[in-house]
């Protein structure tokens, strides 16, 4: 299986994902054209986990993950993960 086009379950829905799947940034009011590849993914796993929502965002709305994690996080997930890490 390649990463150009595949389906994932996210929030109870099946969506298309992969670097060949065109999309828009999932931040409200942002219309930046992106793809649903791993480079635009919030978190470590397509579909989302406790380490990211699994949404797809443009570079302006993604931030480097915290130390010990891979990938990127959207703003709300970065804040939530940072708060959890600080509480430990």
């Amino acid at each position: 299986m390649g990463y150009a086009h595949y389906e994932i379950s996210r929030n109870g829905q099946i969506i298309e994902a992969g670097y060949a799947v065109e999309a828009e940034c999932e931040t409200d009011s942002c219309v930046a054209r992106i793809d649903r590849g791993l480079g635009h993914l919030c978190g470590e796993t397509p579909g989302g986990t406790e380490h990211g929502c699994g949404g797809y965002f443009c570079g302006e709305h993604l931030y480097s993950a915290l130390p010990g994690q891979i990938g990127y996080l959207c703003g709300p997930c970065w804040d939530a993960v940072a708060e959890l890490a600080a509480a430990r």
Side-chain angles (χ1 to χ4, degrees), residues 25-37:
C25 176
E26 293 183 20
T27 297
D28 290 341
S29 77
C30 184
V31 295
R33 299 297 300 164
I34 59 169
D35 60 58
R36 286 193 180 149

Side-chain angles (χ1 to χ4, degrees), residues 6-30:
Y6 52 96
E7 292 182 341
I8 60 171
S9 176
R10 185 178 73 171
N11 300 325
Q13 295 182 334
I14 301 296
I15 66 166
E16 295 181 349
Y19 61 83
V21 177
E22 295 182 9
E24 283 187 358
C25 176
E26 293 183 20
T27 297
D28 290 341
S29 77
C30 184

Side-chain angles (χ1 to χ4, degrees), residues 5-85:
H5 187 270
Y6 52 96
E7 292 182 341
I8 60 171
S9 176
R10 185 178 73 171
N11 300 325
Q13 295 182 334
I14 301 296
I15 66 166
E16 295 181 349
Y19 61 83
V21 177
E22 295 182 9
E24 283 187 358
C25 176
E26 293 183 20
T27 297
D28 290 341
S29 77
C30 184
V31 295
R33 299 297 300 164
I34 59 169
D35 60 58
R36 286 193 180 149
L38 298 176
H40 296 283
L41 176 66
C42 172
E44 300 176 11
T45 307
T49 67
E50 67 274 8
H51 301 290
C53 66
Y56 295 89
F57 300 89
C58 68
E60 186 175 330
H61 295 110
L62 276 179
Y63 307 92
S64 293
L66 297 173
Q69 294 181 325
I70 59 171
Y72 304 96
L73 296 170
C74 67
C77 288
W78 196 97
D79 291 343
V81 170
E83 187 175 312
L84 286 173

